[in-house]
Amino acid sequence: MTSPARSALLLGALGVVFGDIGTSPIYTIQTLFSPDDPHPVPLTADNLLGLVSLIFWSVTLVVTVLYVGVVLRADNDGEGGIMSLITLLGRRGRDGRRLSPRVVAALAAAGIAGAALFLSDSMITPAISVLSAVEGLEQVSPGFAPFVVPITVVIIVVLFAVQRFGTAKVGAAFGPVMALWFTTIGVAGLVQVVGEPSVLRALSPTYAVGFFVAEPGTAFFALAAVVLSVTGAEALYADLGHFGRPAVSRAWLFLVYPSLVLSYAGQGALLLGDLSADGPVRAPFFLSVPSWALLPLVLLATAATVIASQAVITGAFSVVRQAVQLGYLPRLRIVHTSAHTIGQVYVPWVNWALMLAVVVLVLAFESSAALAFAFGMAVTGTILITTTIITVVAAHQWSWPRWVVVGGGTGMGLFMLLFLAANLTKLAHGAWVPLVIGTALFTVMTTWHRGRRGVTALRRRQEGPLHALLDGVATADPALALVPGTAVYLNRGSAGSDATAPLAMRATVEHLHALHSRVVVVSVETADVPQVPLDEVARLVERRPLVDGASPAGDLLLVELRFGYLQRTDVPDALAALSARDELALDLDGASWFLSTLDLRRAGGDDDGDGDGAPGLDMPRWQRGLFTATSRLTTDAARAFDLPATRTVVMGARLEV
């Protein structure tokens, strides 16, 4: 890779990957000494040095060692994120064996819980980030205080309103802004450190350990705020596919990490030099610059937090898209905002739901300090789940010494469990929010996954074998009419010998007593890899006469399409590539496209929710109700598969579940 290309990747990584963790210094130390905290930390020199040491070693161990050193190595064909991590569980280990199905199922469930917490994080991040930046106006003038929440709400609404335009046009500005941001907070911190160099003693772990020994209760409760310093660590992994491990690692090690360390140390130095200050600690981040630089810093912080929010929102779209492709959410409408970058997507329903949730959080909590109590729980839960899964993947699939992997994973897990326990003490003060949101999302995703598998089984029984339908076509009396032209039937089932008959095809035979002279039955599956090359997406499984012994006999093709879980499911393009490669001469421009749909209705009956389920679907009543309600979010299949709207026929049936 050339030097300009490498620099472009580094700049892009700065703008997208590090926005969340890069804005944490705005509110982390402020939260530690907040008067709103039910367990405030007394402002003393020993406490300050102990807290700065805890922050430094938390960032070092969690981000530098765990994520940059270990987690970024667990890529699925270059893609990262917790949904990608789940797909790695099914691969063979270094001994050639696979993990037991029960272990895979348990870890996959944990991964879904992590994805749910990440989505709850994507609601809290814009709220706390933008709110903490706008609160800087109170340092410019106390008269701005009543306008902080309204200004924050306006910025958030505008931020979500422009999502439909995509990030391509504004993305080029993200990197330079964040580069300026990290340089600014690093220089501001360095100035304070030069004035109070004794703060550098906190880089020794003895101060963190000493803090726990001298003030165990205070240190334990403080962990709930210390964890805020590693918010956004998951973004390093989630955005791995956009920039690659080298760019993310270099940007972290050579700019982001030093700047964050200087910023935290600088705030500590500022407070060390003013221990006699009366009243609560307010906004040490903004007080670390001269008064003439305060307003420019507030504006820069606002821009940085908007970028951080943008990155998390984009990450939420990506997680939802992967969940849809892997069968954990219904097929939502997904808009591709770039003709060149596959990963740039916009999910309208998710966008407006996120906006509503973020606005409600801002209006409910009204301050970044209050929101911080909710923020830590989501971050801790996600990191703990990632740590668990990556330990299993590394021990099973990598060639590292197993005692190193298990020992390191256990140590990091215990470290994060300590953070989790500290956050549990904040349940009554907002930590319940991400748990409730995460539990609700986890329930929806697991219910959809379970219900979808049940409906697939019911659907296969209703469709019946394809070859049995064709045998009936051959012996039909009167004979079936073969209409000139090509018909493409999309099928959810397999394209092999056990292929089922698409409901639309069965309805055409049984009600119209006719078929096109060329019939293409296409099964669409999602592979456990991010991308499948276009020339490998489509595979001709079988080609045979439609009606044996008849004249004309017609032509039947069974085709299997396998798309990656991050890939655009463009069925016409895939079939065109297959037609050109295998010389099938498919008339796709004049073809008729047939879709089979199911109208799901909850079955009646006296099911009391004991798990026996109603006829047809083995699920409790409440879960069947949730499943059918969630199915209403499913978008138009023709749009999802990029079918031509004017030549697509939708035929369906009602199924009681």
Side-chain angles (χ1 to χ4, degrees):
M1 183 181 294
T2 63
S3 181
R6 188 180 296 114
S7 300
L9 275 178
L10 288 172
L11 200 59
L14 285 176
V16 175
V17 177
F18 300 104
D20 192 359
I21 196 169
T23 53
S24 298
I26 300 176
Y27 47 79
T28 299
I29 289 184
Q30 172 182 307
T31 302
L32 283 164
F33 297 102
S34 171
D36 299 325
D37 194 321
H39 308 100
V41 179
L43 184 58
T44 67
D46 289 340
N47 287 355
L48 262 174
L49 291 173
L51 287 172
V52 173
S53 185
L54 273 176
I55 291 173
F56 170 74
W57 285 104
S58 296
V59 173
T60 300
L61 292 175
V62 174
V63 186
T64 306
V65 176
L66 176 61
Y67 275 87
V68 175
V70 180
V71 176
L72 292 187
R73 299 175 184 273
D75 67 288
N76 186 355
D77 288 351
E79 292 292 336
I82 199 162
M83 298 301 291
S84 292
L85 192 57
I86 292 174
T87 64
L88 295 178
L89 294 170
R91 296 188 176 180
R92 296 186 184 275
R94 53 186 175 182
D95 57 1
R97 294 184 296 178
R98 299 183 188 274
L99 293 170
S100 72
R102 289 188 177 182
V103 171
V104 172
L107 291 174
I112 296 304
L117 285 173
F118 180 81
L119 290 174
S120 69
D121 180 21
S122 67
M123 301 175 190
I124 302 173
T125 294
I128 190 173
S129 298
V130 178
L131 190 55
S132 64
V134 178
E135 283 172 346
L137 290 173
E138 297 181 34
Q139 305 305 314
V140 177
S141 171
F144 281 115
F147 303 101
V148 168
V149 171
I151 291 174
T152 301
V153 170
V154 169
I155 292 174
I156 287 170
V157 170
V158 171
L159 173 64
F160 281 95
V162 301
Q163 292 301 310
R164 62 192 181 93
F165 299 110
T167 59
K169 293 183 179 179
V170 295
F174 284 5
V177 171
M178 292 309 298
L180 176 61
W181 167 257
F182 287 118
T183 303
T184 300
I185 66 174
V187 170
L190 179 61
V191 170
Q192 296 296 330
V193 169
V194 170
E196 190 68 47
S198 62
V199 74
L200 294 177
R201 292 177 292 168
L203 300 185
S204 168
T206 57
Y207 282 87
V209 175
F211 183 35
F212 264 95
V213 172
E215 301 284 347
T218 301
F220 171 73
F221 289 124
L223 289 178
V226 171
V227 76
L228 298 176
S229 62
V230 297
T231 58
E234 190 68 21
L236 275 69
Y237 185 39
D239 291 312
L240 179 63
H242 293 287
F243 305 101
R245 181 169 170 259
V248 173
S249 301
R250 290 185 186 120
W252 169 257
L253 292 173
F254 295 113
L255 178 60
V256 180
Y257 180 47
S259 297
L260 292 178
V261 170
L262 284 172
S263 181
Y264 286 121
Q267 292 180 61
L270 174 70
L271 295 177
L272 274 177
D274 196 19
L275 290 175
S276 61
D278 296 328
V281 176
R282 298 284 187 184
F285 174 81
F286 290 104
L287 294 177
S288 62
V289 299
S291 57
W292 60 265
L294 181 57
L295 183 57
L297 181 61
V298 171
L299 296 177
L300 180 59
T302 303
T305 54
V306 167
I307 291 173
S309 302
Q310 174 67 60
V312 173
I313 295 167
T314 303
F317 292 160
S318 297
V319 168
V320 167
R321 184 186 181 204
Q322 293 180 36
V324 168
Q325 294 289 69
L326 294 175
Y328 288 98
L329 284 175
R331 188 176 57 244
L332 300 171
R333 183 189 170 206
I334 297 175
V335 179
H336 295 261
T337 59
S338 172
H340 308 289
T341 305
I342 294 176
Q344 291 186 7
V345 295
Y346 165 65
V347 188
W349 193 91
V350 173
N351 183 69
W352 301 120
L354 280 178
M355 187 195 76
L356 180 61
V358 173
V359 170
V360 168
L361 286 172
V362 170
L363 296 177
F365 286 87
E366 296 185 332
S367 75
S368 60
L371 265 171
F373 304 142
F375 202 16
M377 182 62 75
V379 174
T380 307
T382 304
I383 296 175
L384 181 59
I385 291 170
T386 298
T387 301
T388 303
I389 299 177
I390 194 62
T391 301
V392 174
V393 170
H396 178 63
Q397 297 180 6
W398 296 354
S399 299
W400 293 5
R402 186 157 294 185
W403 66 270
V404 173
V405 175
V406 175
T410 302
M412 186 61 68
L414 292 174
F415 186 54
M416 294 312 302
L417 279 173
L418 194 60
F419 279 108
L420 181 64
N423 275 278
L424 288 175
T425 66
K426 310 294 185 183
L427 277 177
H429 304 277
W432 60 270
V433 172
L435 290 181
V436 169
I437 296 173
T439 300
L441 292 171
F442 176 80
T443 303
V444 169
M445 287 193 283
T446 53
T447 296
W448 181 260
H449 191 252
R450 179 183 176 186
R452 182 175 174 269
R453 286 188 299 176
V455 167
T456 298
L458 293 175
R459 182 181 187 136
R460 287 183 64 86
R461 290 202 294 269
Q462 188 167 331
E463 290 174 335
L466 175 60
H467 289 284
L469 177 66
L470 295 176
D471 291 342
V473 168
T475 59
D477 187 18
L480 208 70
L482 293 183
V483 181
T486 300
V488 182
Y489 292 90
L490 266 66
N491 195 19
R492 290 183 181 271
S494 168
S497 58
D498 60 342
T500 58
L503 290 175
M505 184 176 177
R506 182 172 292 279
T508 304
V509 171
E510 294 178 352
H511 297 289
L512 301 180
H513 305 288
L515 278 175
H516 286 72
S517 58
R518 169 167 278 193
V519 173
V520 184
V521 178
V522 179
S523 78
V524 181
E525 298 180 0
T526 301
D528 62 356
V529 295
Q531 303 287 337
V532 175
L534 183 58
D535 59 352
E536 298 177 13
V537 167
R539 180 174 69 94
L540 179 62
V541 176
E542 182 180 354
R543 183 174 187 175
R544 54 165 283 185
L546 188 59
V547 183
D548 286 324
S551 182
D555 195 17
L556 173 71
L557 285 76
L558 295 183
V559 176
E560 179 184 73
L561 303 183
R562 293 179 70 254
F563 293 96
Y565 60 81
L566 286 180
Q567 202 161 0
R568 185 170 182 167
T569 52
D570 192 324
V571 173
D573 274 3
L575 288 181
L578 174 68
S579 179
R581 186 179 72 234
D582 291 3
E583 299 181 351
L584 299 178
L586 293 177
D587 180 21
L588 297 177
D589 291 334
S592 297
W593 302 79
F594 290 85
L595 284 173
S596 309
T597 62
L598 285 178
D599 180 20
L600 300 179
R601 301 287 180 178
R602 192 173 66 171
D606 299 325
D607 178 26
D608 59 2
D610 60 1
D612 293 334
L617 198 59
D618 183 18
M619 295 172 70
R621 178 185 298 177
W622 70 268
Q623 208 167 25
R624 286 185 283 119
L626 177 60
F627 176 70
T628 53
T630 305
S631 70
R632 302 290 181 258
L633 300 177
T634 304
T635 190
D636 177 30
R639 178 180 291 174
F641 295 122
D642 285 326
L643 305 185
T646 57
R647 289 184 284 111
T648 299
V649 179
V650 179
M651 305 175 72
R654 175 170 294 180
L655 182 65
E656 291 192 342
V657 297

